[in-house]
Amino acid sequence: MEKFTVHTGRAVPLRYSNVDTDQIIPAVYLKRVSRTGFEDGLFAAWRANDPEFVLNQPQYKDGTVLIAGSDFGTGSSREHAVWALQDHGFKAVVAPRFADIFRGNSLKGGLLTVVLPQQVIERLWDMVEADPATEVTVDLQEREVRAPGVSEPFELDDYTRWRLLAGLDDIALTLRETEAIDDYETRRKSWLPVTQ
Amino acid sequence: MARTMAEKVWEEHVARRAEGEPDLLYIDLHLVHEVTSPQAFEGLRLAGRPVRRPDLTLATEDHNVPTENILGPIADKVSRTQIETLRKNASDFGVRLFPMGDLDQGIVHVVGPQLGLTQPGMTIVCGDSHTSTHGAFGALAFGIGTSQVEHVLATQTLPMTPFKTMAVTVNGTLKPGVTSKDIILAVIAKIGTGGGQGYVIEYRGEAIRALSMEARMTVCNMSIEAGARAGMIAPDETTFSYIKGRPHAPEGAQWDAAVRHWRSLRTDDDAEFDMEVVLDAEELSPFVTWGTNPGQGAPLNDAVPDPASFEDPAARAAAEKALEYMDLTPGTPLREVGVETVFLGSCTNGRIEDLRAAAEIIRGRRVADGVRMLVVPGSMRVKEQANAEGLGEVFTEAGAEWREAGCSMCLGMNPDQLKPGERSASTSNRNFEGRQGKGGRTHLVSPLVAAATAVRGTLSSPDDL
């Protein structure tokens, strides 16, 4: 996984709440067995049907920070939603609240999801819509989002922050604890089912 | 210290705990399907890692499965590749797989319980958000992403931080014609699609205790639609009698020991939840959705709401956007909304009891002209049982299509899709834009409402017949 320390880039204002993962990437795009190449599925229906949709506007095409409404990433657990956002070039998503599974997936894959209060999100939306060249900085080191006139701290637990800063693979970390897992297995209830 | 059921099951599964780190949670059962697993197996291959516990892992084909001609090759080449990839991965890594054509094939969340693999007190995960279904047995079961699928395959554990706990208590008795689907749709409308975010919900109260296992699964299944990753119901005699005798259920002295343990899992009387929600079953009636998220629902007796009636500006904007997509006018009685398709099936309502309930309404009646009704059993075992009871005939005689088992039109990864602009009444779990096919419009309903709607052609309850 790539390390995440500080990212500065243009932002994309997505003024919708409850953006579910079926919107982020519809099911028909989930059939690939690779881990890349999901960019064409990103917001496919909105990009195809709505000329006003924010990603159809040329001034936002180079955006790398998505500023979204509350409950972003609800619904299906498809990690393809994270991959599609990353394949498009997004490095961070900022919203008032995220769905649990999407948030977990994003932080596993190095797409930084940042929770900020609704009023800060609205200020960022206004600012970016007034000047699409506005740059937004997401600073994981300092746990802070910065834009002209905005300097807003955000919360992220120390462990996840450390893992993202170091770009560490969760599986490799857990495999260091194999002894604890072996030990746990000796204590499991004897009636628990097996599949084979 | 007094603890909730979720806390007890969590504590029992902590394989490692260290200050400042997530708990390492041991996983008792890992269910796998073709859509969210290919990249996980590929990750193992690249790192040269085996599956740690193939004997705690089970795969089935469901999302891409064509529900017609299930034994023939899949016409869609990309779907076929995904299925073939799962078969190769299962074979390479020694994972048991139920392929199309196998009598045990079906939707992953129908297969686990029917085999008796889903038991109280277990931790169960799957790369699918509706894994919450298994919580109906008092298991801690939740959906995970593909990175976590790979993690569980490699280590049989997951690093996790504990959930907060929420009690949803449903007091009283449901009126006839009101089902567990109506309970959960009402819960989601009450707390919102994000209301359960960060929580595991425990459903309690007289109305929940009175539900069958299948009805409990419907409730827990849609916990994720309220934002909660897991939903649980305390195991009781209903649970034990459902599990007893199933292929993977404990037997003899093991059974007795298991039941003793399962009884100890219930939330302590003086335990405290982080949040409590209370509903009165007597006040519930058949519930349908009018919008494009599962929280946008209302009693069938109501009309399409006016977005101006929402105080919260975000909710108002969401309602306006939803009504435009759904092509609905505020004030239209929901009973006057006509549908072209009725879908009965999915991991929410594709079990034998759901089919029985719908067949009871359909029996001796006809699906309305201009309406197609798809009946898709949740598993091949469910289909077999339904045929043995003559339910398949009831559906076909009424003019419905009686299909093979799979996820089908719940998400339209197979050919069962809505056309642009087509409207459905669906017993599935999500009414998102385009969920059942590009441009399709979905109303979520119970099996009883689905059956009555198929007969009348507009959203209806059995009382309307």
Side-chain angles (χ1 to χ4, degrees):
Chain A
M1 187 171 77
E2 238 176 272
K3 292 179 186 177
F4 192 111
T5 47
V6 181
H7 173 76
T8 300
R10 289 192 179 189
V12 176
L14 182 65
R15 280 189 183 262
Y16 295 150
S17 60
N18 262 301
V19 175
D20 57 77
T21 54
D22 273 78
Q23 303 319 311
I24 300 174
I25 182 166
V28 290
Y29 292 92
L30 309 183
K31 297 183 184 183
R32 282 196 200 95
V33 295
S34 64
R35 199 153 190 153
T36 54
F38 292 97
E39 200 277 337
D40 60 343
L42 182 68
F43 297 117
W46 290 343
R47 278 159 94 186
N49 300 327
D50 180 5
E52 300 294 306
F53 180 61
V54 66
L55 287 185
N56 286 335
Q57 300 179 33
Q59 65 271 32
Y60 298 122
K61 79 174 169 44
D62 296 326
T64 53
V65 179
L66 185 64
I67 319 275
S70 200
D71 297 313
F72 187 84
T74 55
S76 158
S77 64
R78 58 189 70 168
E79 198 160 325
H80 311 67
V82 171
W83 303 334
L85 287 162
Q86 289 179 316
D87 286 349
H88 183 82
F90 285 110
K91 303 290 183 200
V93 185
V94 185
R97 188 163 65 181
F98 292 93
D100 276 348
I101 302 181
F102 176 83
R103 183 107 203 268
N105 289 344
S106 69
L107 296 173
K108 296 284 177 209
L111 175 73
L112 186 59
T113 38
V114 173
V115 175
L116 290 184
Q118 179 77 30
Q119 59 270 33
V120 178
I121 297 291
E122 290 187 15
R123 275 180 69 195
L124 291 171
W125 279 338
D126 292 345
M127 193 185 298
V128 173
E129 283 169 353
D131 178 9
T134 305
E135 292 206 319
V136 174
T137 295
V138 181
D139 186 339
L140 179 59
Q141 198 78 48
E142 300 298 327
R143 280 182 271 218
E144 191 175 73
V145 171
R146 292 186 295 275
V150 173
S151 177
E152 190 72 24
F154 64 83
E155 287 184 17
L156 188 71
D157 68 274
D158 292 342
Y159 182 81
T160 307
R161 174 174 168 274
W162 164 75
R163 200 171 47 71
L164 289 168
L165 287 173
L168 286 174
D169 165 9
D170 247 354
I171 297 178
L173 288 173
T174 298
L175 286 173
R176 292 184 197 167
E177 311 301 337
T178 302
E179 216 170 292
I181 302 171
D182 290 343
D183 183 53
Y184 179 85
E185 284 178 334
T186 65
R187 304 195 303 268
R188 294 181 73 228
K189 309 281 186 212
S190 56
W191 63 77
L192 284 165
V194 291
T195 58
Q196 297 182 337
Chain B
M1 200 186 83
R3 293 179 303 166
T4 65
M5 173 169 51
E7 288 161 344
K8 291 182 189 182
V9 178
W10 182 285
E11 282 303 314
E12 254 179 36
H13 287 85
V14 176
R16 176 180 178 271
R17 176 168 281 163
E19 181 65 28
E21 293 182 34
D23 284 347
L24 194 60
L25 210 61
Y26 196 86
I27 303 302
D28 289 323
L29 178 65
H30 184 194
L31 301 167
V32 172
H33 63 82
E34 75 274 14
V35 182
T36 54
S37 67
Q39 296 84 358
F41 281 111
E42 194 54 27
L44 292 185
R45 229 176 240 119
L46 288 172
R49 292 170 179 149
V51 172
R52 182 182 171 95
R53 294 296 300 265
D55 62 331
L56 303 184
T57 312
L58 182 72
T60 180
E61 298 168 358
D62 55 9
H63 284 62
N64 283 272
V65 169
T67 57
E68 288 179 299
N69 190 20
I70 199 167
L71 296 176
I74 300 183
D76 178 339
K77 192 164 162 274
V78 202
S79 282
R80 192 165 72 228
T81 302
Q82 199 161 59
I83 292 281
E84 283 165 358
T85 303
L86 179 64
R87 290 179 183 178
K88 180 169 178 0
N89 287 334
S91 153
D92 287 359
F93 288 91
V95 171
R96 187 169 181 198
L97 167 70
F98 296 133
M100 289 181 284
D102 193 300
L103 196 50
D104 281 313
Q105 177 265 337
I107 306 175
V108 65
H109 309 308
V110 178
V111 169
Q114 87 188 0
L115 285 171
L117 281 169
T118 300
Q119 296 173 17
M122 291 173 70
T123 46
I124 301 177
V125 298
C126 173
D128 191 287
S129 60
H130 292 112
T131 308
S132 55
T133 310
H134 307 264
F137 291 80
L140 182 63
F142 50 91
I144 56 178
T146 298
S147 295
Q148 291 174 304
V149 170
E150 184 179 340
H151 195 283
V152 177
L153 288 172
T155 70
Q156 204 58 34
T157 63
L158 275 178
M160 298 282 293
T161 42
F163 300 108
K164 291 177 286 184
T165 57
M166 181 191 298
V168 170
T169 305
V170 189
N171 293 317
T173 312
L174 287 175
K175 288 184 284 201
V178 185
T179 68
S180 64
K181 182 67 165 279
D182 305 307
I183 293 180
I184 190 62
L185 286 173
V187 168
I188 300 163
K190 187 178 171 96
I191 70 174
T193 57
Q197 198 255 325
Y199 292 91
V200 49
I201 298 177
E202 182 180 328
Y203 301 94
R204 307 151 62 85
E206 188 188 351
I208 299 293
R209 295 259 67 85
L211 297 176
S212 68
M213 281 320 295
E214 312 214 329
R216 291 179 188 184
M217 283 189 253
T218 302
V219 172
C220 289
N221 171 276
M222 288 188 71
S223 301
I224 185 66
E225 264 52 75
R229 234 167 139 171
M232 300 175 88
I233 294 173
D236 58 12
E237 297 310 320
T238 305
T239 321
F240 308 147
S241 64
Y242 181 95
I243 297 171
K244 196 169 172 83
R246 292 190 181 261
H248 291 270
E251 290 174 344
Q254 290 280 41
W255 171 262
D256 297 337
V259 171
R260 261 197 309 280
H261 181 66
W262 295 344
R263 287 189 201 283
S264 74
L265 295 172
R266 60 183 291 274
T267 293
D268 297 328
D269 290 339
D270 45 351
E272 282 183 23
F273 290 89
D274 297 310
M275 184 174 163
E276 300 212 36
V277 174
V278 180
L279 269 81
D280 183 354
E282 325 269 344
E283 287 173 12
L284 296 178
S285 61
F287 217 86
V288 301
T289 62
W290 48 264
T292 54
N293 73 55
Q296 292 175 322
L300 178 60
N301 295 330
D302 285 6
V304 175
D306 186 343
S309 67
F310 292 92
E311 274 176 31
D312 172 41
R316 194 182 313 136
E320 280 168 6
K321 187 167 181 296
L323 291 188
E324 190 188 332
Y325 181 85
M326 294 295 287
D327 191 28
L328 290 172
T329 312
T332 308
L334 286 163
R335 274 197 170 73
E336 290 177 12
V337 175
V339 305
E340 287 92 42
T341 290
V342 172
F343 173 63
L344 174 60
S346 85
C347 60
T348 311
N349 281 127
R351 298 184 175 80
I352 187 68
E353 193 175 279
D354 302 309
L355 301 188
R356 282 181 194 139
E360 207 45 52
I361 305 300
I362 293 276
R363 192 186 300 273
R365 296 190 165 104
R366 294 283 307 167
V367 173
D369 288 343
V371 174
R372 69 165 166 158
M373 181 182 193
L374 288 187
V375 184
V376 181
S379 72
M380 293 310 284
R381 294 276 181 199
V382 168
K383 177 156 190 169
E384 182 188 48
Q385 173 78 25
N387 279 336
E389 295 179 19
L391 305 184
E393 263 173 42
V394 172
F395 291 122
T396 48
E397 278 173 10
E401 299 175 38
W402 176 228
R403 298 290 190 84
E404 311 287 346
C407 299
S408 180
M409 197 182 266
C410 176
L411 84 169
M413 279 191 83
N414 75 347
D416 306 336
Q417 297 182 18
L418 295 180
K419 292 189 283 293
E422 192 176 348
R423 188 182 299 279
S424 78
S426 177
T427 65
S428 54
N429 41 57
R430 289 186 175 138
N431 51 344
F432 298 151
E433 289 182 25
R435 169 80 177 180
Q436 297 191 287
K438 208 171 174 180
R441 297 172 176 139
T442 303
H443 297 273
L444 299 177
V445 300
S446 72
L448 291 178
V449 169
T453 300
V455 172
R456 292 187 77 228
T458 58
L459 294 176
S460 306
S461 72
D463 285 348
D464 299 320
L465 297 174

